[in-house]
Amino acid sequence: MMLILNSTPAIQDAAAVAAAVKDDMGMLWMLIAGILVFFMQAGFFLVESGMTDSKNAVNIAMKNFLDIAVGSLAFWFIGYSLMYGADVSGGGFFHWGGFVFSQGAADLFFQTVFAATAATIVSGAIAGRTKYTTYAFFSIILTALIYPIAGGWEWNGGWLNAEWMPAEFIDFAGSSIVHSVGGWAALVAAWMVGPRIGKFLNGKPVEMHGHNQMYATLGVFILWLGWFGFNGGSQLAWGGDDSVAASQVVLVTNLAASAGALSALLFTWIKNGKPNLGMTLNGALAGLVSITAGCGNMTEGGSVLAGLIGGILVVLSIGFIEKTLKIDDAVGAISVHGVAGAWGTLVIGLWGVDGETGIGLFNGGGVSQLAAQAIGVIAYAFWAIVLSYIFLTILKATCGGLRVTEEEEIAGLDISEHGSIAYHGKRNRELE
C-alpha cells in the first residue's frame, strides 16, 4: 500500500515531463518546418528566373531577397498582430494586438515565412517589366496588411468560423489564405502592369521561352521539399496523435503533387503530341496548392484525385489567361496559386473528411461544407483583388508608374534597375 501511495507523485511528475517533452518537440517541429518554408524562397527564385529571360535574373534575385527581408520586418512589426491579435471589430473581420505583437518566437517565425511566400507569388507574374521600387512598396503592403488581415478571418477564429456560416470554413495550410491571395494579387498586378514587349502579336500570345529550364526544374524540387514543412508544419504540434496527423499530411501532400505533375504531363502530351516540361512543373506545383487547404481533411485517394484535377486545371487556366484575357503571366503564377488555390479550397466541400466522417457533397456530407468553402473562396478573391487594385493604383500615381520604360525593358532589368548582369562574358547560342 505504501508503494502505491508513493507512486502517485512520480506518475504526476512523469506526466508533466511527458507534456513538456511534447511541447518542446512541437516547437522543434515548427522551427524545422519554418526553415523548410524559408528555403522555398530559393525555389521561387530558381523557378521565376529559369522561366524568364536571363537579362532579368538579377532583378528576380533582388525581389526574392526583398520579399523575405522586408516581409520579415513588416510581418513582425504589424502583420502578425493583424492576423493573431484580439478581435477588435466585434465580427471577426479585424484583429489587433499592438505593434511587435507575439505569441511565441517559433509561431512568429513560422507565420512570417508564410507571409513572404504570399508576396513572392506576385513577383513571378510581373517579371521582366516592373519597377523595383514599385514592387518593393507592394511587397510591404501585401505582407503587412493584405495577407495578415485576411489570414485572421480563418486562422484566428475570424468571421469564416462564425456560427451563421453554413459550416466551419477549412483552410488547413493556406490554399486560399496564402496562395489564392497571392495569386489574385498577381492577377491584378499583371493586368495593370501590362504584357512584356513581344508577348502578343496581332492579339495572339507568343511563347517566350525561359532561359534555363534546369533552374526551373531544380526550383520546383526545392518547392516540393519545402511544401512538406508548409503543410506538415501547419499541424503546429508533434507527439502522439499530432505526429500521426502531421505524417499523414506530408504523405497526402506528396501524393497530390505527384498526381498533379503526372496529369499535366499526360494532358499536354495528348494535346500537343509531346510532354511539356514547363507545364509538368506547373502541374506539380498546382497539385501541391490543390492539397494545401485540405491536407488535414483528405483521404489518400481524395488527395490523388484533387492533384490530378489541379494539374489539368492549371494547363487550361494558363491558356485561358493568355489567349482569352490577354494577360501576361510570365511564370503561370496566377493559375498555379490563384486558380489551383480556389480549387484546393473547394474540393474539401466535394469529398473532404473529418476523421472517418465524410463532409463533402459526394461522400455523404451534404452541401453545407461546400457552401462554406465557396464563401471563403469568394471572400479571399474579392479582398485580394480590390485591395491590390487600390494600392497599385496609388503606387502608379505616386511612383511614376508601375513599369520601366521600353528602352529599359529591352536592355533588361538587371542593367536598368541594378546596374549588373547575372552572366558575364560573351555567350553564343545557336537556335534553329
Side-chain angles (χ1 to χ4, degrees), residues 259-269 279-280 282-284 311-312 314-315:
L262 188 60
S263 65
L265 185 156
L266 293 175
F267 187 71
T268 55
W269 199 343
M279 287 299 183
T280 301
N282 275 331
I312 295 172
V314 77
V315 177

Side-chain angles (χ1 to χ4, degrees), residues 170-253:
I170 297 172
D171 191 349
F172 189 88
S175 283
S176 277
I177 297 170
V178 181
H179 295 282
S180 275
V181 166
W184 301 137
L187 174 66
V188 175
W191 170 63
M192 292 185 67
V193 172
R196 289 165 290 175
I197 296 172
K199 177 60 184 177
F200 293 98
L201 181 62
N202 297 324
K204 295 182 179 180
V206 175
E207 185 173 2
M208 303 182 77
H209 297 281
H211 84 279
N212 195 322
Q213 293 196 75
M214 300 305 100
Y215 276 11
T217 303
L218 178 59
V220 170
F221 273 121
I222 291 174
L223 290 173
W224 195 328
L225 171 67
W227 232 289
F228 298 144
F230 198 100
N231 287 359
S234 294
Q235 183 68 27
L236 304 179
W238 189 269
D241 292 340
D242 286 316
S243 301
V244 175
S247 299
Q248 183 68 15
V249 166
V250 171
L251 173 62
V252 299
T253 297

Side-chain angles (χ1 to χ4, degrees), residues 32-48:
I32 292 173
I35 291 167
L36 285 172
V37 179
F38 179 95
F39 189 48
M40 289 173 72
Q41 289 292 330
F44 279 116
F45 159 68
L46 288 170
V47 169
E48 293 168 18

Side-chain angles (χ1 to χ4, degrees), residues 115 117-123 125 138 142 146-147 174-189 333-334 337-338 380 384 388:
T117 298
T120 301
I121 292 168
V122 180
S123 170
F138 189 68
L142 190 62
I146 298 176
Y147 163 74
S175 283
S176 277
I177 297 170
V178 181
H179 295 282
S180 275
V181 166
W184 301 137
L187 174 66
V188 175
I334 301 166
H337 300 279
Y380 282 115
S388 296

Side-chain angles (χ1 to χ4, degrees), residues 129-132 134-135 188-189 192-194 391-397 399-404:
R129 73 270 201 198
T130 309
K131 285 186 175 181
Y132 191 70
T134 300
Y135 179 79
V188 175
M192 292 185 67
V193 172
F391 282 112
L392 284 170
T393 300
I394 294 171
L395 290 173
K396 184 177 181 179
C399 296
L402 300 178
R403 68 183 295 157
V404 298

